[in-house]
Amino acid sequence: MNWRHKHLLGIEGLAPEEITLVLDTADKMAEVATRPVKKVPALRAKLVVNLFFENSTRTRSSFEIAEKRLSADTLNFSASTSSVSKGESLVDTILNIERMMPDCYVMRHPSPGAGQLISGFTKASIVNAGDGAHEHPTQALLDAMTIRQRKGGFKGLKVLIAGDIAHSRVVRSNIHLLNTMGAKVTVCGPATLLPPHIESLGVTASTEFEEAIKGKDVVMMLRIQLERQKRGLFPSLMEYYQRYGLTEERLKLAAKDVIVMHPGPMNRGVEIASEVADGPYSVILDQVENGVSVRMAVLYLLLGGGEDVSAH
Amino acid sequence: MYLLIKNGRVVDPSSGTDETLDVLIKDGRVEAVDKKLEAKGAEVLDATGLIVAPGFMDMHVHLREPGYERKETIATGLAAALAGGFTGVCCMPNTDPVNDSASVTRFILDRARAVSPVRVYPIGAITKESKGEELAPYAELREAGVRALSDDGKPVVKASVMRRAMEYAGSLGLLVIDHCEDPDLAGEGSMHEGTVSVRLGLKGIPAEAEVIPIRRDISLARLTGQRVHIAHVSTRLGVEAIRAAKKKRLPVTAEATPHHFTLTDEAVLGFDTNAKMNPPLRGKDDVDAVIEGLADGTLDAIVTDHAPHAYEEKMVEFDRAPNGIIGLQTAVPLALDRLVKTDRISLKRMVDAFSCAPARLLGLTDKGKIAPGVEADLTLFSLRKETRLKAEDIKSLSKNTPFLGMKLKGAVVAVVIAGRVYPAR
């Protein structure tokens, strides 16, 4: 199977074999990190521009490490230090960088569809590193890699995603991926953070956490942004924790071999109890580790690094 | 000076006329409408195979001048109106400065007369600077030529202000047009709240944000006994509320745009900013309701909400793009193709919505009809000829339209204003 997409703007529209190809490639990439010299020359002389129009430490570092492990040249461009703060439009920014002959943009942007917008103005590939509440495809892929490591596959797997469903790009990418791979997804959160029509994406929606978590094989907790409470979307962080916090008690309602995931950064004591986050079912730090492998795989496939990475 | 329009199918809902007739025009006024008219030395326009209708009027247009001449000028906007088959337009007051004074109204009228034959009826602001607080000087505005008031683009949030506006304007015979949107409920939404918004992760504007202020305005019409006109109705809820109000004989009227009877929120799927407008494109059921509302007259008029924006303003992230599309050159073909050809509404009703209804609403008693003595303003169009708008055909300064290149059955052939013929080009 060959990769045939120029960009990775979202999970929506990817075929199951394509997702599997990324995951298989990521598994091979994981091996690179175990070598004494953690680097392959696959993307030597390729220029990858990291365009971050929104703060991000984790995703950005993860991408940067992935790029470096593949020997790509990198340029970091952040909104606060750039011409964007002087009023330059996104399209103009791209048209300018374009003349520096980049091979790939990794872009984080607060507006949904920002990747689609710039795709009309560049010859380079684009990896969406999060566009508003739309998609965050590499997050879903690293989640999938983590799930596959523990569960062996996706068919029939019962997955619960809980928290701020309305404002989450992670949720949308995960729903598309898990549905495509044959898992069953339930989303759960306070009614004010469950967007109307979410079921149209092919999920079950619930406001009752203890009901929703029953028998689940995977429980994915989402970060609650503290500003949501200030905007009146739920009464208090304490009440949130009491209704939706993942405690050891509640985790017992899930399947015996449940895994607990979180895309980070975590609010301990808000959406997840420390005992669970650090507990035996948690794979949260595996997700971080897999993030680098998945991003290596995506860059490698998009930039045509060749079929077999182990040959390097 | 005689002009004789021969063999056209004259469709004039104001008199119930629909037959092949000749129209004789003398010195800019209709002289006779009858079979086999003759006039020595008359300029003859063969209208065989064409519909001859009373001049179309678009009562919801943004001409942008003064203040936003990068988007549109009075000259380019009226050129688009003429090419699109309109003999008259009402321009919204959200210019810079806002049209809340006789001096701005007079500027618009003077400029319009200097650059175009198209008749312009400026709409004055409901409140000073459209800030929603103090009433604009309605009598002064009326004196200068204003026939309707609106803070379009913004709703009149305070019920007390809307009440006073309707009372005061009503006593002067001015029509109050409200942009019905609850800004608090609409929040930062940039599209319709539905299955598409949830998929795209864009914040949605629920249909209720439209119907809540519509219901308030209906209540105020009952309270004041004065007229209110609901701008660009986009939802089934809105149509049904207005239908119920009309059934109770409350003085409520309304309008709809071509984009709200042709496109759904699925047009946003590729994040095309030319699918971003306010009110937003709604769901399929809402589109059907708008068409049903036009068919049964719940929605009186078809208007474009022609809203030009410069290339660079629309070439941005979807949630940062301004609302609106241009519409003057596509409105008539869209109505012919999507409403008349498909038998969703009759030709007579379509002509009424474009011509007679706006004239009635604005109290223009000698417009919207073809009858001896009235000024000869006519729109001539074909049901068979195709329209396919190309970028170079756009007369507007801005090209923000999702209808570019769309093949539509039906085309404007010519406009007659005060007896002068302007072929559509």
Side-chain angles (χ1 to χ4, degrees):
Chain A
M1 158 115 221
N2 274 319
W3 184 256
R4 57 188 176 85
H5 300 282
K6 184 173 180 193
H7 310 301
L8 181 67
L9 299 181
I11 298 294
E12 193 180 8
L14 289 186
E17 313 80 66
E18 292 171 324
I19 290 165
T20 303
L21 175 64
V22 177
L23 300 183
D24 290 348
T25 310
D27 284 344
K28 291 176 192 163
M29 292 296 176
E31 184 268 325
V32 174
T34 65
R35 299 180 188 178
V37 178
K38 296 196 278 285
K39 212 171 172 89
V40 290
L43 299 187
R44 201 160 57 188
K46 300 275 188 193
L47 176 58
V48 180
V49 179
N50 298 312
L51 281 173
F52 279 70
F53 295 98
E54 224 180 45
N55 290 333
S56 155
T57 311
R58 176 172 322 238
T59 303
R60 185 179 175 144
S61 319
S62 179
F63 266 107
E64 232 184 298
I65 293 163
E67 291 151 13
K68 293 196 158 116
R69 290 214 173 131
L70 291 169
S71 306
D73 295 326
T74 61
L75 171 73
N76 289 324
F77 186 100
S78 67
S80 54
T81 58
S82 71
S83 43
V84 173
S85 56
K86 296 174 188 160
E88 187 176 67
S89 75
L90 177 58
V91 168
D92 278 328
T93 300
I94 293 303
L95 289 174
N96 277 276
I97 300 176
E98 196 60 14
R99 285 304 178 94
M100 300 168 197
M101 313 297 168
D103 298 284
C104 184
Y105 294 97
V106 172
M107 184 166 79
R108 160 74 56 98
H109 196 288
S111 295
Q116 276 81 355
L117 173 65
I118 69 166
S119 67
F121 298 89
T122 175
K123 296 196 196 81
S125 288
I126 303 162
V127 180
N128 178 6
D131 60 332
H134 180 219
E135 284 232 40
H136 190 1
T138 57
Q139 177 71 43
L141 287 163
L142 75 87
D143 292 341
M145 183 178 179
T146 312
I147 293 171
R148 200 171 76 160
Q149 283 169 349
R150 298 296 177 127
K151 300 288 174 192
F154 304 92
K155 275 265 166 334
L157 219 53
K158 287 179 276 189
V159 181
L160 173 67
I161 309 177
D164 185 356
I165 306 298
H167 303 90
S168 172
R169 47 185 161 231
V170 175
V171 134
R172 283 167 182 77
S173 288
N174 262 302
I175 288 172
H176 293 312
L177 189 146
L178 292 165
N179 278 343
T180 304
M181 301 309 284
K184 280 191 169 45
V185 182
T186 302
V187 295
C188 179
T192 46
L193 296 177
L194 273 182
H197 312 289
I198 186 75
E199 291 99 335
S200 69
L201 297 182
V203 299
T204 307
S206 167
T207 55
E208 301 310 310
F209 190 51
E210 284 165 21
E211 268 308 306
I213 197 172
K214 277 189 189 141
K216 292 294 183 290
D217 303 300
V218 176
V219 175
M220 195 182 287
M221 302 305 295
L222 300 176
R223 174 183 169 76
I224 284 296
Q225 291 189 15
L226 304 181
E227 62 159 271
R228 306 283 178 227
Q229 189 268 324
K230 291 193 193 107
R231 292 181 58 187
L233 288 168
F234 55 93
S236 72
L237 293 175
M238 199 56 226
E239 177 156 323
Y240 186 88
Y241 181 69
Q242 281 167 352
R243 289 193 69 199
Y244 297 100
L246 182 59
T247 57
E248 284 183 305
E249 252 343 90
R250 284 179 176 139
L251 193 58
K252 285 181 189 149
L253 299 168
K256 277 208 304 286
D257 55 348
V258 66
I259 56 171
V260 173
M261 306 178 74
H262 194 301
M266 276 187 286
N267 295 307
R268 290 169 182 260
V270 180
E271 68 263 6
I272 190 163
S274 276
E275 305 80 68
V276 176
D278 304 329
Y281 301 100
S282 170
V283 294
I284 294 169
L285 295 175
D286 292 355
Q287 291 175 268
V288 177
E289 187 178 334
N290 289 337
V292 175
S293 306
V294 151
R295 285 164 182 132
M296 285 173 77
V298 166
L299 291 165
Y300 180 79
L301 291 170
L302 287 180
L303 298 181
E307 272 290 277
D308 191 2
V309 66
S310 43
H312 285 293
Chain B
M1 262 282 287
Y2 282 98
L3 169 67
L4 181 58
I5 301 171
K6 295 283 290 179
N7 288 321
R9 177 179 164 193
V10 174
V11 177
D12 179 2
S14 76
S15 61
T17 308
D18 183 357
E19 61 179 314
T20 302
L21 294 168
D22 299 341
V23 181
L24 182 64
I25 296 159
K26 185 193 176 191
D27 299 330
R29 286 182 183 273
V30 176
E31 177 90 354
V33 186
D34 212 333
K35 288 200 161 92
K36 300 201 165 119
L37 291 171
E38 300 283 343
K40 270 220 173 80
E43 177 192 347
V44 174
L45 178 66
D46 181 9
T48 307
L50 300 183
I51 312 290
V52 178
F56 286 0
M57 158 110 62
D58 185 348
M59 59 184 286
H60 194 138
V61 169
H62 298 273
L63 290 177
R64 303 298 191 207
E65 186 179 353
Y68 304 104
E69 291 85 350
R70 174 71 188 94
K71 297 171 191 272
E72 190 83 290
T73 64
I74 290 170
T76 55
L78 296 181
L82 196 64
F86 293 98
T87 59
V89 301
C90 298
C91 56
M92 283 294 171
N94 58 341
T95 46
D96 184 17
V98 168
N99 184 10
D100 59 4
S101 69
S103 57
V104 177
T105 301
R106 279 196 291 267
F107 164 81
I108 294 167
L109 287 171
D110 288 349
R111 185 84 195 120
R113 280 191 203 102
V115 297
S116 173
V118 175
R119 300 177 197 277
V120 174
Y121 304 91
I123 294 173
I126 294 175
T127 58
K128 285 179 188 157
E129 296 177 57
S130 289
K131 282 185 170 162
E133 298 289 341
E134 301 168 66
L135 301 188
Y138 298 164
E140 173 193 313
L141 285 162
R142 188 179 71 159
E143 190 68 26
V146 159
R147 297 185 161 268
L149 304 163
S150 182
D151 278 352
D152 187 56
K154 292 181 192 166
V156 179
V157 174
K158 291 188 180 172
S160 62
V161 173
M162 191 62 179
R163 174 191 185 170
R164 287 196 298 270
M166 285 166 65
E167 286 170 342
Y168 198 89
S171 73
L172 292 168
L174 295 168
L175 179 68
V176 176
I177 304 172
D178 197 17
H179 167 120
C180 285
E181 177 188 9
D182 182 320
D184 185 50
L185 189 56
E188 294 164 349
S190 57
M191 69 172 297
H192 174 58
E193 181 176 300
T195 56
V196 180
S197 67
V198 80
R199 179 168 296 260
L200 296 180
L202 285 166
K203 293 197 178 96
I205 302 173
E208 282 71 8
E210 175 171 282
V211 75
I212 290 169
I214 288 178
R215 289 193 186 122
R216 179 203 68 174
D217 284 358
I218 291 169
S219 296
L220 292 175
R222 183 200 302 270
L223 176 67
T224 62
Q226 297 295 352
R227 295 191 296 161
V228 65
H229 179 76
I230 313 299
H232 42 51
V233 178
S234 66
T235 60
R236 177 171 289 282
L237 288 172
V239 173
E240 284 173 356
I242 294 161
R243 185 176 289 130
K246 285 189 162 186
K247 215 164 254 165
K248 291 180 188 154
R249 305 196 166 278
L250 292 171
V252 179
T253 56
E255 61 184 36
T257 73
H259 46 271
H260 288 120
F261 65 66
T262 53
L263 300 175
T264 66
D265 54 350
E266 299 210 340
V268 182
L269 277 172
F271 296 99
D272 178 4
T273 56
N274 284 334
K276 183 175 178 184
M277 48 278 279
N278 190 12
L281 297 173
R282 304 285 185 179
K284 171 84 172 64
D285 183 56
D286 295 306
V287 170
D288 285 337
V290 167
I291 294 173
E292 290 155 22
L294 283 168
D296 72 6
T298 298
L299 306 177
D300 303 76
I302 298 175
V303 303
T304 62
D305 196 3
H306 179 82
H309 292 292
Y311 169 82
E312 65 274 10
E313 295 175 298
K314 278 287 199 181
M315 197 46 78
V316 297
E317 299 85 330
F318 190 90
D319 54 1
R320 296 178 186 184
N323 289 306
I325 57 167
I326 57 169
L328 285 164
Q329 288 178 258
T330 45
V332 175
L334 282 168
L336 290 172
D337 188 90
R338 300 302 176 86
L339 302 180
V340 177
K341 191 186 82 183
T342 54
D343 283 326
R344 302 289 299 267
I345 78 172
S346 67
L347 179 63
K348 182 180 154 197
R349 176 70 193 97
M350 178 263 192
V351 170
D352 183 66
F354 270 116
S355 178
C356 315
R360 275 196 307 272
L361 294 171
L362 296 165
L364 300 166
T365 49
D366 61 339
K367 296 291 167 201
K369 60 172 84 163
I370 308 176
V374 306
E375 279 180 310
D377 290 1
L378 308 169
T379 298
L380 278 62
F381 58 94
S382 162
L383 298 176
R384 286 180 218 101
K385 204 178 154 199
E386 268 184 3
T387 299
R388 195 167 183 176
L389 190 70
K390 298 195 291 284
E392 60 266 32
D393 300 333
I394 294 177
K395 308 285 183 190
S396 284
L397 218 45
S398 298
K399 320 282 184 203
N400 51 313
T401 169
F403 299 117
L404 213 60
M406 201 177 271
K407 217 188 257 181
L408 300 167
K409 190 123 176 156
V412 174
V413 174
V415 157
V416 176
I417 302 173
R420 267 201 69 181
V421 182
Y422 301 89
R425 270 193 292 262

